[in-house]
């Protein structure tokens, strides 16, 4: 047994012995196969393994074909008509496997709308049920109600729903048409002709111009830039506004610059099938007799925008639904609220009760017919049916009569309330963002009450929590911190004034600095360290510069770099231009050109970049900037200010600023010459060039001298910390899911106060260890309960508040995703396995994986905050689905980019931020607005109100219909169970439509227990929704019991009053019609007064609706009981004179008053007792409303994020997540030569730029 366990453990943990996830790596692509993930193992596969594997592979699957099966032929439309590119669509009908470029999100067209919509609506059990009832009511033998009592409400429901569906689909059609009809230029007959996006097909060559949106996934063929570079903005994909560059193949760059060459272009591109991998594509282009490798650096993705490139040409690889951005959208899921699900169960339960009650009454009728028919000879109807057959007919009669327990008007009312609540969200001016004229938008009308039940929020970072704007805030030079509000003499001041930078002709007003003392020091040029500090910022970077409309404009691979260079520019050290081997800056007005000898670019392992320059005086210097932990390890022993700079870094970290350390080193000619030779050798190495370069870099980046540190603020959106704090008080857990690197995500976590210094931070390795311990304990204590062995639940994680920070690679490692399986199989000698053994092994692996996932979710949910970084779009959706699956929690996802779409669709509620990052997230969301801070109002105000209103509406609606319907049940004991109705048929028809509909609708639309300000001020009011306290099975049965008791009073009090009654005229008003009028009047008054008791927020409209509904009842009743309408429709209006005759009797008015009092007074007494003894939280706040309102007027100051005395310093370095433009600069590929001919229509600029102009 122990050997078996050890073998199993070795199999499970084998991968960990050879590999540890790298936190800086983005995980392998979402659709990657195991074969693609295979990498050489550090040992040789045993021969027996190989033999067994080949035997198994030969039995199980045929030999794997190449994954490159997608063929694209340029400028050849007939190529795609080949039968091998056809796929079966329906029976013998085939269509091309290549999608066109049109997007269709609509459901209907003119022909299919009516039949398809009706089919969809009758798939709802309630609608189908009422259709069956309508058919039954058309059968005279069983119907005791007219057919119109069901037809009118049914048509109303179907009509309102159809109109809403039509309006939604028209919106989708409009959106589709706007996208599909965008203009583009397609190569046709040797010329580029204007066309529409929907006419683009795979294999077309298209031309794009500056600022054009890319319509499909394209292979970049050429551009007007050097080496056919093309700069794209990927904000719609990942929310990042910094530019990325793409570069075409050299052969297409040289030959496909003009229309003639593009027309002759007939290459065949073979690549992988359409997938959702945004970071990878593998393919080969065959042209002429040569083949060329194609990778992601040569592909332009749909959803991106061309920037700083005048013209580029591309070959369409994937179009329409096959594009990567569309593949990342995930499946559109049908979302339903918890109340919807519960209501369906309740409706099914009521159906069962209805059938049981009808069956019991039918049996009673059969028994009565058998026992009483001969005695009651005067009831003979001329039909000689048996008692059992009469009981069968009576069963269907009671099904019809009692169907109002589930009234069809319930669904109409729910739709109306949800629609109204959606408009209230749209009209909320406190969720309107005037800077870009964006209002909140409820894109769905079916999920509003779910907003009041959210337990977990999953948020993107870039563009959602942050503005993706970096701002230079502070710096430390030679141990002195600059950036506080100080005057020119260095004294701190209370009045904050921005420093005057008008003395600098290059200042661009993008820097707001409040330290006048630093400005004086810079202008005086007396401190050499300050001069060297800002000179380093102006020289050590990979930023490009260009002149645009007479203004100097920067383009950077990272917003961090742009912020630093911009800060140096505004403080007098201005980067002007660069060439392949020089960089020119202005030093306090003096133009100086430095020779660039080497650029040592940033990557995620180095976490630093360096540049080696020769200044105009001939001196050699190395300038370096990077992460504090990396720089400090490379400083010279004699470097000054190390300790004081470290204290400055502590201060910056406590203020959640992103930091970089700056240092330099003087080089000798001989030292540099020896190193440069090694550098050149490594640059041309054919074996592991990156490792060789890193080794050479390490040699020169030693004995550095520290200058200081910079502190950049990754600017949060307004109100983010306050919003997160409010949501946390409402017991809502927030998880941040981002593609950013771990340090950046952690820093933003502290900045927005999601993470705090009193939390213990746990990382992927900690969680992995904890899960392995749990797994080991579970294996070693099989059959032993946790109570019997407390050691099973012992944790290796720290006690107290915990926060989890985990990367995408650790997620895959922990959750046993894909790539672990195949590697571990090769680590032990295997014997040939039967199919049954393989199935059993697979089943065990799935069970182990599921248990591992559950353990991970349990651990993560115990943490106060969770940050998942370096995760792919698919992993974001996976995390959301795991929490939904194992915690049964209501989830909300919020994001702004296309990489958030899958997550948004997976969550119960999806929210899109409509900002500068495109509309992909918004188009896939349920709700959208412009700023993250509006989320607290959406949930704590609109969500909470919607939930309370819907719960109150449903509880009352069930009550009033049980009160109405069950009167028939009591009456059946006095009419021989004959399915005779208590009320007239028109009262039954209009009860839910006119007499009791408006007051409850207004409560569902307008009611509020406390104001919006108090809802925000006291977030704990949100808790009842999370716990389903306001509507559940218990509340439903309360409504049922209340309805039963009310129906008893409504029937038996008038019945008792009518037993021995004498009117003023000496006649007894004890006829059936007078009884029906009395019971109906008491019911209408009771139902309307009951909703008045339930109303918390009174307006004139509410009061008018209650009194107006009662008045409307009496007005309509007197009309339909009049002789005039009976003369016109004698068979439909047969209660002639019943109301005037009955209601002229004071005795009956007293009966009505007594009935209403007996129904309502116990309710008032019980509520008074409960409010006194056990008031709810909202009732307590209502009682002390003035005190809370006073607190709102004097808000508490926001706690500072600066925590004094924090001993543990976090490394908060800020830098690009990917290499910058160093390779382009040093090779000259981005630099346009001055001798290059000027193209027509393209003006030359003064300085080098990302678009290559000088």
């Amino acid at each position: 047994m122990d050997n078996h366990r050890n073998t199993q453990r070795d199999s499970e943990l084998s991968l960990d012995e050879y590999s540890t996830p790298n936190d800086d790596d983005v995980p392998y692509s979402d659709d990657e196969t195991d074969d693609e993930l295979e990498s050489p193992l550090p040992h040789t596969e045993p021969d027996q393994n190989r033999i067994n594997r080949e035997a198994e592979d030969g039995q199980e699957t045929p030999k794997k074909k190449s994954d490159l099966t997608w063929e694209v032929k340029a400028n050849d439309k007939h190529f795609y008509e080949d039968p091998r590119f056809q796929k079966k669509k329906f029976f013998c009908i085939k269509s091309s496997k290549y999608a066109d470029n049109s997007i269709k999100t609509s459901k209907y067209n003119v022909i299919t709308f009516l039949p398809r919509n009706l089919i969809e609506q009758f798939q709802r059990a309630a609608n189908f049920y009422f259709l069956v009832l309508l058919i039954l009511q058309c059968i005279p033998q069983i119907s005791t109600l007219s057919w119109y009592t069901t037809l009118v409400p049914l048509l109303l429901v179907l009509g309102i729903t159809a109109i809403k569906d039509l309006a939604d689909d028209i919106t989708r059609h409009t959106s589709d048409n706007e996208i599909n009809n965008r203009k583009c230029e397609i190569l046709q007959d040797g010329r580029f002709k204007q066309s529409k996006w929907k006419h683009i097909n795979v294999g077309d060559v298209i031309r794009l111009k500056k600022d054009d949106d890319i319509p499909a996934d394209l292979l970049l063929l050429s551009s007007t830039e050097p080496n056919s570079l093309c700069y794209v903005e990927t904000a719609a994909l990942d929310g990042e506004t910094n530019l990325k560059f793409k570069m075409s193949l050299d052969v297409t760059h040289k030959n496909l610059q003009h229309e003639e060459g593009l027309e002759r272009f007939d290459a065949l591109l073979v690549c992988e099938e359409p997938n959702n991998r945004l970071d990878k594509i593998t393919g080969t282009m065959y042209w002429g007799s040569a083949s060329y490798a194609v990778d992601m650096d040569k592909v332009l993705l749909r959803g991106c925008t061309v920037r700083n490139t005048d013209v580029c040409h591309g070959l369409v690889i994937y179009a329409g639904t096959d594009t990567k951005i569309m593949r990342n959208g995930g499946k559109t899921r049908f979302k339903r609220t918890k109340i919807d699900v519960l209501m369906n169960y309740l409706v099914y339960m009521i159906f069962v009760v209805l059938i049981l009650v009808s069956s019991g009454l039918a049996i009673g009728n059969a028994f009565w017919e058998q026992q009483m028919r001969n005695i009651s000879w005067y009831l003979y109807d001329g039909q000689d049916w048996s008692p059992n057959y009469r009981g069968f007919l009576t069963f269907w009669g009671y099904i019809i009569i009692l169907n109002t327990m589930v009234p069809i008007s319930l669904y109409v009312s729910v739709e109306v309330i949800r629609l109204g609540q959606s408009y209230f969200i749209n009209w909320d001016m406190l969720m309107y963002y005037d800077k870009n004229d964006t209002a909140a938008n409820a894109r769905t009308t079916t999920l509003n009450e779910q907003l009041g039940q959210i337990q977990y929020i999953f948020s993107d970072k870039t563009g959602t929590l942050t503005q993706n704007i970096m701002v230079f805030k502070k710096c430390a030079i030679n141990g002195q911190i600059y950036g506080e509000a100080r005057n020119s003499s260095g004294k701190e001041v209370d009045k904050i004034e921005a420093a005057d930078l008008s003395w600098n002709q290059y200042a661009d007003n993008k820097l707001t600095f409040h330290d006048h003392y630093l400005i004086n020091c810079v202008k005086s040029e007396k401190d050499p360290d300050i001069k060297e500090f800002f000179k380093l910022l102006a020289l050590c970077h990979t930023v490009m510069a260009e002149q645009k409309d007479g203004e100097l404009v920067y383009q950077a691979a990272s917003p961090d770099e742009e912020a630093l260079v911009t800060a140096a520019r505004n403080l007098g050290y201005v980067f002007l231009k660069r060439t392949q081997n020089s960089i020119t800056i202005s030093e306090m007005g003096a133009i100086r050109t430095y020779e660039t000898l080497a650029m040592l670019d940033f990557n995620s392992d180095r976490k630093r970049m360096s540049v080696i320059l020769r200044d105009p005086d001939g001196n050699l210097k190395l300038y370096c900037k990077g992460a504090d932990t990396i720089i400090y390890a490379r400083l010279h022993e004699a470097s000054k200010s190390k300790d004081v700079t470290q204290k400055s870094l502590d201060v910056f970290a406590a203020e959640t600023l992103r930091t970089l350390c700056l240092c330099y080193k003087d080089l000798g000619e001989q030292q540099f010459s020896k190193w440069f030779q090694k550098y050149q050798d490594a640059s041309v190495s054919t074996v592991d060039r990156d490792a060789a370069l890193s080794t050479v870099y390490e040699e020169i980046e030693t004995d550095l001298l520290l200058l200081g540190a910079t502190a950049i603020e990754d600017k949060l959106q307004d109100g983010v910390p306050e919003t997160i704090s409010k949501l946390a008080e409402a017991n809502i857990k927030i998880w941040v899911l981002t593609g950013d690197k771990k340090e950046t995500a952690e820093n933003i976590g502290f900045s927005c106060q999601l993470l705090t210094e009193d939390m213990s931070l746990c990382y992927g390795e900690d969680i992995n260890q904890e899960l392995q311990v749990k797994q080991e304990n579970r294996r070693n204590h099989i059959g032993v309960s946790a109570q019997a062995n407390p050691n099973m639940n012992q944790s290796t994680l720290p006690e107290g508040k915990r926060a989890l920070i985990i990367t995408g690679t650790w997620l895959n490692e922990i959750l046993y995703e894909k790539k672990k399986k195949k590697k571990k199989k090769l680590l032990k000698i295997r014997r040939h396995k039967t199919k049954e053994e393989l199935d059993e092994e697979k089943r065990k692996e799935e069970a182990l994986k599921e248990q591992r996932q559950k353990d991970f979710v349990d651990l993560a949910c115990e943490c106060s905050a969770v940050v998942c970084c370096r995760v792919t779009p698919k992993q974001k959706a996976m995390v959301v689905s795991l929490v939904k699956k194992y915690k049964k929690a209501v989830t909300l996802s919020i994001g702004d980019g296309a990489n958030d779409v899958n997550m948004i669709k997976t969550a119960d509620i999806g929210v899109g931020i409509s900002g500068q990052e495109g509309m992909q997230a918004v188009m896939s969301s349920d709700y959208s607005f412009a700023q993250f801070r509006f989320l607290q109002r959406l949930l704590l105000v609109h969500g909470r109100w919607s939930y309370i209103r819907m719960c109150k509406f449903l509880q009352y609606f069930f009550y009033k219909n049980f009160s109405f319907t069950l009167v028939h049940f009591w009456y059946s004991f006095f009419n021989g169970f004959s399915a005779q109705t208590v009320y007239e048929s028109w009262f039954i028809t209009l009860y839910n439509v006119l007499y009791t509909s408006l007051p409850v609708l207004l409560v569902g639309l307008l009611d509020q227990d406390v104001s919006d300000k108090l809802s925000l001020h006291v977030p704990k009011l949100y808790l009842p929704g999370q716990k389903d306290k306001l509507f559940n099975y218990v509340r439903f049965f309360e409504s049922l019991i209340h309805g039963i008791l009310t129906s008893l009073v409504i029937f038996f009090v008038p019945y008792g009053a009518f037993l021995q009654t004498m009117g003023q005229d000496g006649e007894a008003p004890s006829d059936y019609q007078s009884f029906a009028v009395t019971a109906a009047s008491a019911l209408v008054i009771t139902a309307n007064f009951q909703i008045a008791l339930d109303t918390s927020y009174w307006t004139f409209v509410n009061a008018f609706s209650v009194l107006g509904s009662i008045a409307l009842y009496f007005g309509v009743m007197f009309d339909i009981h009049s002789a005039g309408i009976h003369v016109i429709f004698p068979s439909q209006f047969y209660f002639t004179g019943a109301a005037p005759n009955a209601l002229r009797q004071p005795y009956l008015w007293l009966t009505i008053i007594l009935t209403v009092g007996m129904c309502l007074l116990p309710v008032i007494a019980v509520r008074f007792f409960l409010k006194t003894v056990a008031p709810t939280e909202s009732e307590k706040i209502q009682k002390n409303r003035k005190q809370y309102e006073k607190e709102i007027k004097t808000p508490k100051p926001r706690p500072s994020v600066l925590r004094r005395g924090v001993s543990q310093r976090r490394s908060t370095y800020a830098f690009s997540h990917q290499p910058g433009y160093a390779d382009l600069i040093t090779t000259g590929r981005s630099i346009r030569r001055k001798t290059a001919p000027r193209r027509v229509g393209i003006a030359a600029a003064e300085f080098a730029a990302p678009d290559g102009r000088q």
Side-chain angles (χ1 to χ4, degrees), residues 496-507:
I496 299 177
E497 292 182 356
D500 180 17
L501 301 176
S502 60
W503 54 270
N504 180 5
Q505 62 173 322
Y506 293 103

Side-chain angles (χ1 to χ4, degrees), residues 214-416:
I214 299 172
D217 291 349
L218 312 174
L219 172 65
L220 178 62
L221 300 178
S222 62
S223 78
T224 53
E225 305 310 313
N227 295 281
S228 286
L229 282 173
C230 180
Y231 292 85
V232 295
E233 184 182 275
T234 60
L237 292 179
D238 53 23
E240 295 183 9
T241 53
N242 51 293
L243 302 186
K244 317 287 193 306
F245 65 85
K246 305 289 182 177
M247 185 184 298
S248 73
L249 291 163
D250 190 56
V251 63
T252 60
H253 161 66
K254 292 177 179 177
N255 296 286
L256 302 180
Q257 290 288 348
H258 306 289
E259 290 178 343
E260 294 77 11
L262 289 165
E263 183 186 16
R264 293 192 300 269
F265 181 56
D266 61 351
L268 175 66
L269 175 65
V270 180
C271 59
E272 57 202 18
E273 293 286 322
N275 55 65
N276 65 353
R277 289 172 282 187
L278 291 170
D279 60 333
K280 181 181 178 183
I281 187 172
T282 303
T284 305
M285 187 183 79
Y286 300 93
W287 191 21
S289 57
S291 60
Y292 308 91
V294 172
D295 56 26
M296 206 65 214
D297 290 336
K298 301 171 181 63
V299 174
L300 309 178
L301 295 183
R302 177 177 177 140
C304 299
T305 304
V306 177
R307 300 292 190 201
N308 291 6
T309 305
D310 293 291
V311 175
C312 66
H313 306 104
L315 172 68
V316 179
I317 307 174
Y318 306 119
T321 54
D322 289 335
T323 57
K324 291 183 178 292
I325 190 172
M326 298 303 294
R327 289 274 174 156
N328 262 287
K331 295 180 180 178
T332 300
R333 295 167 174 83
F334 177 65
K335 297 182 178 182
R336 301 172 66 189
T337 66
K338 290 177 73 174
I339 285 182
D340 266 338
V341 175
L342 175 60
M343 198 162 65
N344 277 347
Y345 283 126
L346 293 178
V347 168
Y348 294 142
M349 185 190 306
I350 293 172
F351 285 163
V352 173
V353 171
L354 176 61
I355 291 172
L356 293 177
V357 170
S358 299
S359 300
L361 295 176
I363 293 170
N365 177 256
F367 179 79
W368 190 90
E369 289 284 343
Q370 190 171 5
Q371 298 295 324
M372 306 295 292
R373 173 58 64 180
N374 293 331
I375 300 173
S376 304
W377 51 267
Y378 50 86
L379 295 177
Y380 180 67
D381 56 3
Q383 302 291 343
D384 295 323
W385 293 329
S386 68
N388 289 339
Y389 182 66
R390 288 183 181 274
F392 173 75
L393 295 179
T394 301
F395 168 79
W396 294 108
Y398 273 114
I399 288 288
I400 294 170
I401 291 174
L402 301 177
N403 79 81
T404 48
M405 280 199 290
V406 190
I408 195 168
S409 58
L410 170 67
Y411 295 95
V412 180
S413 303
V414 167
E415 293 293 336
V416 171

Side-chain angles (χ1 to χ4, degrees), residues 94-166:
K94 293 185 176 182
S95 64
S96 174
K97 75 171 187 176
Y98 297 94
D100 60 27
N101 204 45
S102 61
I103 300 298
K104 180 184 177 184
T105 60
S106 57
K107 293 169 61 177
Y108 313 110
N109 57 39
V110 176
I111 298 174
T112 63
F113 171 71
L114 193 58
R116 185 172 179 181
N117 187 262
L118 286 175
I119 291 171
E120 288 176 352
Q121 291 204 58
F122 281 119
Q123 286 177 350
R124 293 179 66 174
N127 288 345
F128 184 74
Y129 166 72
F130 287 112
L131 179 64
V132 172
L133 279 181
L134 179 62
I135 296 171
L136 291 175
Q137 284 181 279
C138 295
I139 304 174
Q141 288 81 0
I142 63 176
S143 178
T144 55
L145 284 175
S146 301
W147 52 269
Y148 52 79
T149 59
T150 299
L151 178 63
V152 173
L154 180 61
L155 289 179
L156 192 62
V157 169
L158 298 178
I160 291 176
T161 306
I163 291 171
K164 184 177 73 71
D165 291 343
L166 180 61

Side-chain angles (χ1 to χ4, degrees), residues 447-673:
L447 302 173
N448 297 326
E449 65 269 17
Q450 191 95 310
L451 291 169
Q453 298 182 280
I454 301 299
Q455 295 164 279
Y456 288 85
I457 292 175
F458 300 90
S459 174
D460 179 40
K461 182 193 79 69
T462 306
T464 303
L465 299 177
T466 68
Q467 300 180 34
N468 200 29
I469 297 174
M470 305 298 172
V471 179
F472 183 85
K473 296 292 287 186
K474 294 182 180 182
C475 61
I477 304 174
N478 197 16
Q480 173 72 44
I481 293 180
Y482 299 93
E484 302 289 351
R486 295 191 292 183
N487 60 24
S488 56
S489 61
K491 294 182 179 179
E492 293 191 7
V493 294
D494 295 329
K495 186 178 180 181
I496 299 177
E497 292 182 356
D500 180 17
L501 301 176
S502 60
W503 54 270
N504 180 5
Q505 62 173 322
Y506 293 103
D508 61 358
N509 299 319
K510 290 184 178 179
L511 177 68
T512 302
F513 209 66
H514 303 108
D515 195 339
H516 296 258
Y517 181 63
L518 177 62
I519 305 299
N520 273 2
C521 293
V522 170
K523 291 167 69 175
S524 68
E525 301 185 54
K526 293 179 181 179
D527 190 331
D529 289 332
I530 291 180
K531 292 172 64 177
E532 204 69 17
F533 184 91
F534 287 105
K535 189 191 300 182
L536 186 152
L537 292 181
L539 293 169
C540 183
H541 55 78
T542 60
V543 175
M544 306 286 197
E546 67 170 321
Q547 284 283 344
K548 186 181 293 184
D549 299 327
E551 293 289 332
L552 184 62
V553 179
Y554 293 148
Q555 293 290 352
S558 149
D560 309 87
E561 278 212 311
E562 184 177 356
L564 293 175
V565 177
T566 299
R569 166 186 179 168
N570 283 275
L571 294 174
Y573 292 81
V574 187
F575 164 54
L576 295 177
K577 65 177 180 178
R578 71 162 78 247
T579 65
Q580 179 179 351
N581 50 19
S582 71
I583 181 170
T584 301
I585 67 172
S586 168
E587 300 177 15
M588 300 302 292
I591 307 298
R592 293 167 63 89
T593 299
Y594 292 76
E595 182 183 356
T596 306
L597 302 177
M599 294 189 74
L600 288 55
D601 203 4
F602 166 89
N603 64 38
S604 58
D605 294 323
R606 285 169 42 75
K607 298 182 180 178
R608 65 191 183 279
M609 81 155 289
S610 301
V611 59
I612 300 176
L613 304 168
R614 188 189 302 276
D615 67 20
D617 299 326
N619 301 316
L620 292 176
K621 273 196 176 179
L622 178 146
Y623 290 113
C624 180
K625 62 183 181 184
D628 45 17
T629 53
I630 300 296
I631 296 299
Y632 266 70
R634 289 161 176 77
L635 292 179
H636 193 279
E637 292 181 358
S639 181
K640 59 182 180 179
S641 306
K642 287 194 291 186
D643 293 337
V644 287
T645 301
Q646 182 163 328
K647 291 179 181 178
S648 301
L649 289 168
D650 292 340
V651 173
F652 296 157
E655 295 177 357
T656 67
L657 300 175
R658 300 171 63 165
T659 58
L660 280 176
C661 284
L662 310 186
C663 53
Y664 72 99
K665 176 181 180 180
D666 292 313
L667 299 175
E669 290 287 351
Q670 187 176 3
Q671 177 189 12
F672 173 73
S673 298

Side-chain angles (χ1 to χ4, degrees), residues 654-751:
E655 295 177 357
T656 67
L657 300 175
R658 300 171 63 165
T659 58
L660 280 176
C661 284
L662 310 186
C663 53
Y664 72 99
K665 176 181 180 180
D666 292 313
L667 299 175
E669 290 287 351
Q670 187 176 3
Q671 177 189 12
F672 173 73
S673 298
K674 290 181 180 179
W675 176 86
F676 191 68
Q677 184 60 50
K678 295 179 182 178
Y679 170 70
Q680 288 182 317
D681 293 342
S683 299
V684 295
S685 173
T686 57
V687 179
D688 204 356
R689 182 181 302 171
D690 290 340
L693 283 171
S694 294
T695 303
V696 175
Y697 293 165
E698 287 284 349
E699 290 184 18
I700 198 71
E701 293 173 329
T702 57
D703 296 331
L704 304 173
L705 300 177
L706 184 64
L707 276 173
T710 61
I712 294 176
E713 180 185 18
D714 189 355
K715 204 166 180 60
L716 292 173
Q717 291 188 11
D718 294 337
V720 167
E722 293 83 358
T723 299
I724 289 176
S725 176
K726 288 289 185 186
L727 295 176
E729 289 181 50
N731 198 37
I732 300 174
K733 292 191 175 181
I734 300 176
W735 294 22
V736 174
L737 312 179
T738 176
D740 280 347
K741 65 175 184 274
K742 184 170 73 174
E743 291 85 355
T744 304
E746 181 177 335
N747 193 46
I748 288 297
F750 279 97
S751 181

Side-chain angles (χ1 to χ4, degrees), residues 898-1128:
N899 55 348
D900 303 315
V901 167
N902 207 346
M903 170 178 77
I904 285 172
K905 289 184 175 180
T906 302
D908 296 299
I909 302 283
V911 177
I913 299 289
S914 50
Q916 58 183 352
E917 290 77 19
M919 298 296 288
Q920 288 293 327
V922 171
M923 296 300 292
S924 303
S925 66
D926 304 305
Y927 301 88
S928 68
F929 40 70
Q931 294 280 288
F932 181 84
R933 70 175 185 271
F934 297 148
L935 184 61
Q936 64 172 313
R937 186 167 181 85
L938 181 71
L939 300 186
L940 302 185
V941 177
H942 291 287
R944 182 176 166 278
W945 279 352
S946 296
Y947 173 72
I948 291 174
R949 291 164 179 169
M950 185 59 71
C951 292
K952 190 174 286 189
F953 165 81
L954 290 174
Q955 196 169 354
Y956 170 78
F957 211 96
F958 282 120
Y959 154 75
K960 79 181 180 72
N961 283 284
F962 289 140
S963 304
F964 166 65
T965 305
L966 293 179
V967 174
H968 295 297
F969 177 78
W970 309 121
Y971 184 51
S972 64
F973 290 93
F974 298 90
N975 63 16
F977 306 99
S978 60
Q980 171 67 35
T981 60
V982 177
Y983 319 107
E984 58 148 337
S985 58
W986 278 104
F987 177 80
I988 295 173
T989 304
L990 299 177
Y991 175 76
N992 281 306
V993 176
L994 282 183
Y995 302 152
T996 59
S997 60
L998 188 57
V1000 70
L1001 273 178
L1002 290 175
V1003 167
L1005 287 170
L1006 303 176
D1007 201 50
Q1008 48 183 270
D1009 55 346
V1010 297
S1011 67
D1012 56 341
K1013 292 180 180 178
L1014 285 174
S1015 294
L1016 291 171
H1017 184 68
V1018 190
K1020 60 184 177 182
L1021 288 172
Y1022 192 80
L1023 298 180
Q1026 294 175 327
K1027 299 176 181 178
D1028 301 321
K1029 282 189 173 182
L1030 301 186
F1031 189 73
N1032 47 43
Y1033 286 108
V1034 173
R1035 294 283 185 155
F1036 170 76
F1037 283 111
E1038 286 178 2
S1039 296
L1040 175 60
I1041 294 170
H1042 190 190
I1044 291 173
L1045 294 176
T1046 300
S1047 66
L1048 276 168
V1049 175
I1050 293 292
F1051 177 79
F1052 282 104
V1053 170
Y1055 177 77
F1058 271 65
L1059 279 179
Q1060 294 180 345
T1061 304
M1062 187 66 68
Q1064 287 179 332
D1065 55 2
E1067 297 179 1
S1070 54
D1071 59 287
Y1072 158 70
Q1073 292 186 346
S1074 296
F1075 177 81
V1077 169
T1078 305
S1081 300
L1083 175 63
V1084 169
I1085 296 172
T1086 300
N1088 280 285
F1089 279 7
Q1090 179 64 51
I1091 195 61
L1093 292 177
D1094 292 341
T1095 301
S1096 301
Y1097 183 69
W1098 277 96
T1099 65
F1100 169 78
V1101 179
N1102 292 87
F1104 178 80
S1105 68
V1106 171
L1107 299 177
S1109 295
I1110 297 173
L1112 181 66
Y1113 158 72
F1114 283 107
V1116 171
M1117 182 178 63
F1118 276 101
D1119 282 341
I1120 62 178
H1121 290 187
S1122 66
I1125 199 168
H1126 172 73
V1127 172
I1128 302 172

Side-chain angles (χ1 to χ4, degrees), residues 38 76 172 216 512 774 807 928 936 960 1026 1063 1179:
E38 201 84 36
D76 187 354
R172 286 191 287 265
T512 302
K774 278 181 174 287
T807 60
S928 68
Q936 64 172 313
K960 79 181 180 72
Q1026 294 175 327
E1179 288 170 347

